[in-house]
Amino acid sequence: MQLAEVREGLEGVVVANSSMSWIDGENGVLIYQGYNIHDLAEKSTFEEVIFLLWNGRLPTQAEFDDYFKRLSDERQLNDQEWDFVRRYANSQVHPMAFLRTAVSFLAHSDPDVEDNSHEANVRKGFRLTGKMAVMVAAFDRIRNGKEPLQAKPEWNHAKNFLWMLKGREPDELEARAMDVALILHADHGFNASTFAARVTAATLSDLHSAITSAVGTLKGPLHGGANTRVMQMLLEIGEVERAEQWVLDALARKERIMGFGHRVYRTMDPRAVHLRELSKKLCERIGETKWYEMSEKIFEVVHREKGLWPNVDFFSASTYYAMGIPLDLYTPIFAMSRVVGWVGHCLEQYAHNRLIRPRANYVGPKGLQYVPIDQRT
Ligand code: ACO
């Protein structure tokens, strides 16, 4: 007996009330806790967005300063955590696989690990947000034979990440571009990785377990893993003049073009609007406008041929490339930001918890007779 209509991919299924963020897919609107993403991208900072997502309102100056300091205090690792980074940075492990294990490893030294109170989970949220950025930057420096760098308490998260990665003070445009990228990626409704985090939290498992589930889910090419693949595509195409034919050939082979399409948006992803501008500015800054121009050409062809729109991953690829960020760090950077949304969603889940446990429509056989192994042919 079929229980109900199967909704493949849970499309259109509503599983919880949430005030974290809301998407109007028809009109390309995204809001975080009531505030339009365009206002936040233009006027806010990542630190302020953390407060907004975890508290449901914008901070006063004193509250902002407190959050800034609390995050800054967590941008450091203990000896075991440094050993862990050094061990894996010198292996062939992909940085996203490293980060998934790193989040789980961070639980071992977290003094609040099994405390599921709201206050303890906020403390863990700061630790995870601060340490993930340090670990991603250190991983890259160590694998390139460089020493990791200490964060600077007076700088914000975005500027510190670029400093810890590159070892030079980022200029204003780069630092702001990274801050905007962190703001734009911080939350996005019940996306796959957020849902994974909430499913884990709903068993009343600990926050580190929930975030580990989320990082593993973000890693896939249909979700956060698409940004690296967009850049691989641009590099493979190589020249703007080749873009149209390359896309037409890929579509003829029924391949997906990475960075296009979305389960909810039926128009331009509002986050892509900002990343498109950043891509243009940053590509111009390094005198390599072809990555931006190629992206525009691909957009034109994919939209014309398939009616699809770019998602957040499309223009972030050329933006990060123009900032000199290694391709395999694009998805870890996504995770460094989305961790804030995952934590906020887990806070909501713990506050109004019910086990998340859907059913499947069973399509296998029934009533088979068990035959002992020595009698099977
Ligand atoms: N390129 C070519 N065709 C596409 C693309 C694409 N990027 N996206 C969707 N389509 C086509 C599908 O082939 C399908 O066509 P069909 O009905 O003829 O078979 C149709 O559009 C619907 O696709 P679904 O996979 O059913 O749509 P769904 O909502 O399940 O998938 C998804 C959304 C996974 C994002 C999809 O658009 C995709 O694979 N995009 C490429 C990967 C990507 O960019 N992922 C990042 C998403 S944003 C984020 O997670 C941060």
Side-chain angles (χ1 to χ4, degrees):
M1 185 193 67
Q2 183 154 346
L3 290 164
E5 181 204 352
V6 176
R7 304 290 283 271
E8 278 196 0
L10 296 182
E11 182 163 4
V13 175
V14 175
V15 295
N17 292 321
S18 173
S19 62
M20 288 285 292
S21 55
W22 177 71
I23 305 163
D24 173 350
E26 296 301 321
N27 298 304
V29 177
L30 169 63
I31 62 172
Y32 290 175
Q33 300 274 13
Y35 293 92
N36 192 294
I37 196 67
H38 294 312
D39 275 344
L40 297 171
E42 280 157 23
K43 301 174 194 155
S44 189
T45 61
F46 184 56
E47 277 79 357
E48 186 172 62
V49 165
I50 299 176
F51 189 97
L52 174 66
L53 288 172
W54 293 355
N55 296 276
R57 62 178 176 82
L58 290 172
T60 62
Q61 185 64 51
E63 288 168 332
F64 176 85
D65 293 346
D66 176 54
Y67 260 50
F68 193 97
K69 174 150 189 343
R70 286 180 75 179
L71 183 58
S72 164
D73 288 348
E74 300 300 349
R75 256 183 240 115
Q76 50 186 309
L77 305 180
N78 66 27
D79 290 349
Q80 291 82 1
E81 290 159 356
W82 277 122
D83 287 348
F84 174 87
V85 179
R86 286 183 193 284
R87 184 161 1 116
Y88 289 103
N90 288 318
S91 70
Q92 293 306 307
V93 168
H94 188 282
M96 197 56 185
F98 157 78
L99 190 62
R100 180 196 57 219
T101 310
V103 167
S104 185
F105 186 81
L106 287 172
H108 302 330
S109 57
D110 195 300
D112 293 311
V113 68
E114 291 299 337
D115 183 346
N116 247 354
S117 65
H118 179 88
E119 294 70 27
N121 281 326
V122 170
R123 287 196 294 275
K124 286 185 271 187
F126 278 118
R127 286 185 202 118
L128 280 162
T129 310
K131 286 167 187 270
M132 280 168 71
V134 175
M135 288 175 128
V136 171
F139 181 96
D140 188 65
R141 285 188 73 79
I142 295 167
R143 72 177 168 172
N144 287 306
K146 297 178 187 157
E147 272 305 300
L149 294 168
Q150 279 290 322
K152 305 209 181 259
E154 66 278 18
W155 289 353
N156 71 13
H157 201 58
K159 191 167 175 181
N160 257 309
F161 173 68
L162 290 175
W163 154 250
M164 290 187 290
L165 184 69
K166 292 158 168 266
R168 64 167 174 79
E169 180 173 355
D171 65 27
E172 226 172 277
L173 175 60
E174 281 175 302
R176 182 60 191 158
M178 183 49 66
D179 204 24
V180 171
L182 294 179
I183 292 169
L184 295 174
H185 288 83
D187 197 44
H188 207 233
F190 258 60
N191 61 88
S193 56
T194 298
F195 184 57
R198 289 189 74 135
V199 168
T200 304
T203 69
L204 296 185
S205 187
D206 63 287
L207 189 69
H208 285 82
S209 296
I211 306 302
T212 306
S213 300
V215 178
T217 307
L218 186 73
K219 182 171 173 286
L222 296 189
H223 192 11
N227 52 14
T228 299
R229 284 160 179 88
V230 171
M231 198 60 226
Q232 285 165 343
M233 168 177 73
L234 299 183
L235 290 168
E236 190 187 320
I237 296 172
E239 298 302 332
V240 184
E241 298 69 41
R242 293 189 60 222
E244 174 151 9
Q245 198 54 50
W246 192 98
V247 172
L248 292 174
D249 291 347
L251 291 176
R253 292 192 301 270
K254 302 261 176 263
E255 285 173 14
R256 284 181 183 230
I257 311 298
M258 290 290 125
F260 286 89
H262 199 273
R263 176 60 67 77
V264 187
Y265 292 117
R266 292 293 165 258
T267 181
M268 183 90 163
D269 181 329
R271 301 167 299 177
V273 172
H274 297 276
L275 290 160
R276 187 184 192 180
E277 258 176 50
L278 287 172
S279 165
K280 184 169 189 290
K281 273 191 206 155
L282 287 154
C283 287
E284 279 168 359
R285 183 172 158 277
I286 60 161
E288 286 192 41
T289 51
K290 72 172 181 177
W291 307 114
Y292 167 73
E293 286 162 19
M294 203 187 296
S295 303
E296 288 289 347
K297 189 70 191 171
I298 295 169
F299 175 13
E300 180 196 314
V301 178
V302 174
H303 188 63
R304 185 187 73 213
E305 297 294 319
K306 298 285 289 182
L308 292 167
W309 296 89
N311 57 50
V312 70
D313 289 324
F314 188 63
F315 285 105
S316 65
S318 45
T319 300
Y320 295 150
Y321 189 77
M323 291 167 85
I325 295 172
L327 270 65
D328 60 3
L329 296 191
Y330 297 1
T331 316
I333 290 171
F334 192 152
M336 276 164 41
S337 161
R338 184 58 59 83
V339 64
V340 171
W342 294 330
V343 169
H345 276 273
C346 288
L347 294 174
E348 269 191 351
Q349 188 66 43
Y350 289 131
H352 303 281
N353 190 54
R354 185 149 192 240
L355 182 76
I356 299 172
R357 203 300 186 192
R359 300 281 302 269
N361 178 41
Y362 178 70
V363 294
K366 289 179 182 164
L368 300 182
Q369 291 301 311
Y370 182 84
V371 180
I373 196 164
D374 58 350
Q375 293 168 28
R376 287 177 215 156
T377 52

